[in-house]
Amino acid sequence: MGNNCIFCQIVAGEIPSKKVLEDDNFLAFHDINPVAPVHILIIPKTHYPNFAQTPPEVFTPMAEFIKKVAEKVGVTDYRLITNNGKGGGQEVFHLHIHFIANPGGTLKWGKLV
Ligand code: 5GP
Ligand code: ZN
């Protein structure tokens, strides 16, 4: 939380980010290391370590916010991913949903191990 969480520092404006959309409770910004032409991270401004440790009621407004992000960037086709825990590939322990898209194309899918 707070000082040692990189995404809390982004929320606080202590680390710069390329913001896409923001409201009182959520922030969307471009991933620093994109895996596709559109790679946005969507986070609650409140610190929760990951999906498993987030109260379920957070996800209803978060889903609405994600749809607004899609509208803002003008894509209808996209993939949402959240890595939960080290074994799930999580590196930053502040809940985030990866919003990934390839406008005008198709995202690949395949074996990850
Ligand atoms: P995870 O592996 O935890 O699901 O994803 C963490 C994501 O955060 C990675 O895709 C990584 O590129 C991104 N990331 C890490 N540090 C920063 C940063 O300082 N700024 C931005 N915009 N993205 C970051
Ligand atoms: Zn945090």
Side-chain angles (χ1 to χ4, degrees), residues 51-95:
F51 174 81
Q53 294 178 72
T54 301
E57 59 269 22
V58 171
F59 292 106
T60 298
M62 195 168 184
E64 291 303 327
F65 183 79
I66 292 169
K67 291 177 195 178
K68 286 183 193 149
V69 170
E71 274 176 37
K72 178 99 190 264
V73 298
V75 301
T76 55
D77 298 10
Y78 50 86
R79 182 175 300 158
L80 304 176
I81 294 174
T82 191
N83 297 327
N84 190 79
K86 253 196 165 78
Q90 187 176 7
E91 291 181 350
V92 177
F93 286 78
H94 179 130
L95 173 68

Side-chain angles (χ1 to χ4, degrees), residues 6-7 10 15-17 29-33 39 41 83 89-93 96 98:
I6 198 165
F7 288 176
I10 283 175
I15 291 177
S17 68
F29 56 98
H30 292 282
D31 196 294
I32 206 167
N33 187 208
H39 188 169
L41 299 174
N83 297 327
Q90 187 176 7
E91 291 181 350
V92 177
F93 286 78
H96 52 284
H98 296 260

Side-chain angles (χ1 to χ4, degrees), residues 5 7-8 47 94:
C5 172
F7 288 176
C8 281
H47 181 96
H94 179 130

